[in-house]
Amino acid sequence: MASAPHTLASLPDISKNVATWVAEVAALTQPERVHWCDGSTAERDRLREDLVRRGELRPLNPETFPRCYLYRSDPADVARVEHLTFVCTQSQEDAGPNNNWLAPAAARAQMRELFRGCMRGRTLYVVPYCMGPLDSPYARCGVEITDSAYVVLNMGMMTRMGRAALERIALDGSFVRGLHSTGELDPARRFIMHYPEELAIESFGSGYGGNALLGKKCHALRIASFQARSEGWLAEHMLIAGLQNPAGETHYVAAAFPSSCGKTNLAMLIPPESLPGWKVFTIGDDIAWLQPGDDGRLWAINPEAGYFGVVPGTNRATNRNAFDMISHDAIFTNVALTADNEPWWEGRKKHVPVTDWRGRPYDAANGPAAHPNSRFTVAATQNPSYSTAAEDPHGVPISALIFGGRRRELAPLVYEARSWQHGVLVAASVASETTAAATGQVGVVRRDPMAMKPFTGYNFGDYFAHWLRMGQRLAHAPRIFHVNWFRQNAAGQYLWPGYGENLRVLHWMLERCAGRVGAQDGAIGLLPRPQDLNVTGVEIDPAVLAELTSVPASALQRELAEVRVYLQGFGARTPVALYEELDQIGRRLETQV
Ligand code: SAT
Ligand code: MN
């Protein structure tokens, strides 16, 4: 077995720790060779060529989709597997009812047997990566060991990967240890374990997305949220965008929606022609690390360097920026193919599919041509609305935090929380219909506090308390809003046009932050009055607008009762302040009815 990395001699002690760990893992997993990734283009090209030669990666039409590739995952490995994802803290209470739990020693023992000899005949890749700008005090590093070249290619686009990250690790003195093997892709032998107290992750049996690209959900959310609690910051499932109004003022917002609810679209929104002078800049589309600044404001960095976005539905009308950025240098996972060897997905207007995502001749009877959770991977710098503020080591100051979900009923288009404390209740009460981003039934409403249900690495009761404490540390806390782009009428039609028109809602929020626009006091929170929303240039019936900004009292009453029961599920760890907020809304509701 070739092992000693050529870089080792020149590296300080901490990297020798990396090398010791790599040697231990290699002894257990028995790879044929060990490759330390340097993150160079030459390395990337070689990995790509290898995968193409082995038939695992397929080059797409070089004229229309230059340097784009198709990857087909195992048909039983197409989404995150929440029921096989565990948080292994010493005490079960610390993981909370929001996580599956196993005792760390038991989980380690079980994983050890799965990993034993699993890389025989394969290459072990050592992938050092940095989450956040390399020179940011808020960035954190990790090393992922994986036997998947596809994972290496994706990590190379999604993170700052390679030699520079290893140098940063030497400065930091610590790193998150992530061990990943695709194993035999047997769903019965698939586990994603997190050991937040040891800053470690072990993932076996999946090669897909958040199960396998360990920098993303495993590190930047589950492990980081745990670290953030003890260090006094927040790791959140949020896009970050800069909004420039026609007067030239730019404000930054961070918004949390569950997977596959439009974060990527909002982060790179294109203002409609009827809203001239507006510009939207993207800082990030999925994860935000938020730190209180010396100035009392909340500052955000995007720990990622690329996007792993949902492909279906992307076209020139819905998201021209996304459509343009995925037309070159992209990896497509589980999309269909046209006769011209172009990628195809539901919602792509041009062409027709001839081969489905599994590689079979396309037949509508088999379901959609592209998998509903098919994804693109691209470097963030390919986005036409990419902002270089994403590279600012201190991040950007946040004016508004936005929460939302996919809800047919109840939740109005937008409302504002009365205070930080009320906002924490609003965020903790988020519920959304499930999507194809995780395996399981699609379209059932479930509670998804802060859109972090699958991603908080500790007890939600403690998490809510941490959020409340963070507010106390912010002299100029962002305002908190809730949105719902997905409200439907009785006939099942969407009431709000969505996409670019969502900027009208963001406009109201920014005007609220500036104290320039009014609101009406509703039991649920502060709602725009019809005259407060800028609807010039969009066709929307005043009656529909009234419906969108109203909340049926009986439904809200039911919701309050459900939220109370949900919060009680975290026992004594739920902060009393959240019940006080619930009581207050209940009282307002009574006096209103
Ligand atoms: O599979 S991922 O977790 O990377 C994507 C998502 O669910 O948001
Ligand atoms: Mn996500």
Side-chain angles (χ1 to χ4, degrees):
M1 195 184 74
S3 90
H6 55 277
T7 48
L8 190 59
S10 59
L11 292 171
D13 285 352
I14 181 72
S15 306
K16 292 188 182 136
N17 289 353
V18 179
T20 311
W21 174 58
V22 169
E24 279 164 22
V25 170
L28 175 69
T29 57
Q30 300 284 307
E32 191 170 303
R33 65 192 84 77
V34 173
H35 175 85
W36 287 63
C37 297
D38 60 14
S40 64
T41 19
E43 175 182 77
R44 186 203 57 197
D45 293 347
R46 212 166 45 241
L47 286 170
R48 264 195 326 221
E49 279 160 28
D50 282 355
L51 281 170
V52 170
R53 204 170 325 108
R54 295 212 302 263
E56 291 179 44
L57 211 54
R58 177 189 175 112
L60 296 170
N61 187 314
E63 262 102 61
T64 47
F65 285 84
R67 298 168 305 283
C68 287
Y69 296 83
L70 166 68
Y71 177 81
R72 293 194 184 111
S73 74
D74 185 279
D77 185 31
V78 292
R80 280 182 292 103
V81 282
E82 293 179 6
H83 62 296
L84 301 173
T85 300
F86 290 78
V87 169
C88 309
T89 41
Q90 291 296 336
S91 131
Q92 180 165 10
E93 269 275 284
D94 288 344
N98 45 303
N99 282 303
N100 300 314
W101 175 84
L102 272 174
R108 288 274 193 194
Q110 180 181 332
M111 296 304 279
R112 217 180 151 73
E113 290 322 303
L114 294 174
F115 282 120
R116 195 180 295 287
C118 71
M119 297 189 189
R120 270 194 202 112
R122 315 182 60 139
T123 301
L124 179 159
Y125 299 97
V126 183
V127 187
Y129 63 87
C130 179
M131 302 309 291
L134 282 156
D135 57 349
S136 169
Y138 309 133
R140 294 285 188 281
C141 292
V143 176
E144 174 166 357
I145 292 180
T146 179
D147 55 7
S148 160
Y150 165 80
V151 165
V152 179
L153 283 180
N154 277 275
M155 287 292 286
M157 292 163 113
M158 298 300 298
T159 72
R160 279 97 174 160
M161 187 274 268
R163 174 81 202 190
L166 205 54
E167 280 162 10
R168 162 88 198 218
I169 288 173
L171 289 177
D172 286 355
S174 83
F175 63 98
V176 170
R177 287 159 203 245
L179 172 52
H180 167 255
S181 170
T182 49
E184 321 85 10
L185 295 169
D186 174 358
R189 286 158 56 83
R190 179 175 296 164
F191 295 100
I192 296 101
M193 305 287 191
H194 301 76
Y195 310 94
E197 290 148 345
E198 301 161 40
L199 301 185
I201 306 156
E202 291 182 323
S203 167
F204 188 87
S206 166
Y208 192 84
N211 300 332
L213 311 176
L214 300 186
K216 195 172 180 58
K217 310 296 189 181
C218 299
H219 177 165
L221 289 177
R222 296 193 192 97
I223 300 288
S225 63
F226 185 96
Q227 267 186 309
R229 180 183 167 225
S230 59
E231 295 174 8
W233 50 284
L234 291 164
E236 298 297 323
H237 192 203
M238 291 177 173
L239 68 93
I240 310 164
L243 311 171
Q244 186 186 314
N245 69 15
E249 293 167 25
T250 301
H251 286 276
Y252 294 93
V253 302
F257 309 127
S259 300
S260 210
C261 286
K263 280 198 301 300
T264 306
N265 285 337
L266 189 63
M268 48 184 73
L269 179 149
I270 296 187
E273 269 165 29
S274 54
L275 290 176
W278 281 87
K279 282 197 186 127
V280 176
F281 302 105
T282 317
I283 309 293
D285 81 327
D286 195 39
I287 299 178
W289 284 359
L290 304 151
Q291 295 272 354
D294 295 338
D295 59 357
R297 292 191 291 176
L298 189 63
W299 291 72
I301 63 160
N302 170 17
E304 299 190 283
Y307 311 131
F308 185 67
V310 176
V311 188
T314 306
N315 59 49
R316 260 185 227 288
T318 57
N319 189 341
R320 197 181 69 226
N321 282 335
F323 190 81
D324 289 348
M325 83 180 170
I326 63 179
S327 63
H328 64 99
D329 300 279
I331 299 177
F332 290 88
T333 300
N334 292 339
V335 295
L337 285 175
T338 68
D340 292 337
N341 198 31
E342 288 189 9
W344 194 92
W345 53 87
E346 275 64 21
R348 184 168 180 215
K349 299 271 158 64
K350 260 172 74 181
H351 304 293
V352 288
V354 295
T355 309
D356 77 4
W357 65 276
R358 296 179 65 164
R360 304 173 296 196
Y362 173 62
D363 177 352
N366 287 331
H371 189 277
N373 193 36
S374 51
R375 298 271 171 166
F376 56 75
T377 319
V378 288
T381 46
Q382 285 187 204
N383 173 6
S385 65
Y386 177 72
S387 164
T388 49
E391 287 161 45
D392 192 317
H394 293 282
V396 295
I398 299 297
S399 302
L401 292 174
I402 306 166
F403 294 92
R406 199 179 265 278
R407 296 212 66 180
R408 259 167 268 216
E409 307 169 322
L410 183 76
L413 178 62
V414 59
Y415 65 98
E416 180 187 337
R418 287 189 186 81
S419 63
W420 181 272
Q421 180 166 304
H422 178 214
V424 174
L425 174 75
V426 168
S429 313
V430 165
S432 189
E433 292 156 26
T434 50
T435 68
T439 54
Q441 211 184 337
V442 168
V444 253
V445 174
R446 75 163 181 182
R447 293 275 150 214
D448 194 350
M450 283 80 169
M452 282 286 280
K453 163 72 189 76
F455 308 122
T456 298
Y458 62 100
N459 190 313
F460 259 157
D462 298 334
Y463 174 69
F464 302 147
H466 179 50
W467 261 88
L468 290 170
R469 269 196 310 274
M470 286 293 294
Q472 287 160 5
R473 289 178 50 200
L474 296 168
H476 307 287
R479 292 194 186 215
I480 298 181
F481 298 86
H482 186 284
V483 298
N484 177 21
W485 316 131
F486 303 95
R487 181 104 164 234
Q488 295 177 12
N489 63 15
Q493 291 153 327
Y494 288 110
L495 294 177
W496 179 248
Y499 297 105
E501 306 298 345
N502 293 339
L503 184 56
R504 297 168 190 280
V505 176
L506 300 172
H507 182 188
W508 179 72
M509 291 178 195
L510 295 191
E511 293 300 294
R512 290 291 302 160
C513 293
R516 288 193 290 243
V517 72
Q520 56 183 324
D521 213 346
I524 198 169
L526 304 167
L527 293 144
R529 297 162 301 180
Q531 70 268 29
D532 296 328
L533 276 178
N534 172 0
V535 286
T536 35
V538 63
E539 261 182 50
I540 183 148
D541 196 295
V544 171
L545 198 58
E547 189 178 350
L548 268 169
T549 49
S550 70
V551 186
S554 57
L556 181 56
Q557 208 116 44
R558 261 200 316 278
E559 178 84 354
L560 292 178
E562 278 177 28
V563 169
R564 186 178 299 273
V565 170
Y566 180 73
L567 292 177
Q568 283 163 349
F570 305 98
R573 300 220 182 186
T574 302
V576 215
L578 296 188
Y579 295 116
E580 285 164 10
E581 288 296 328
L582 269 179
D583 292 342
Q584 210 184 102
I585 302 170
R587 279 196 298 275
R588 280 176 192 265
L589 201 51
E590 270 162 35
T591 54
Q592 252 182 39
V593 182

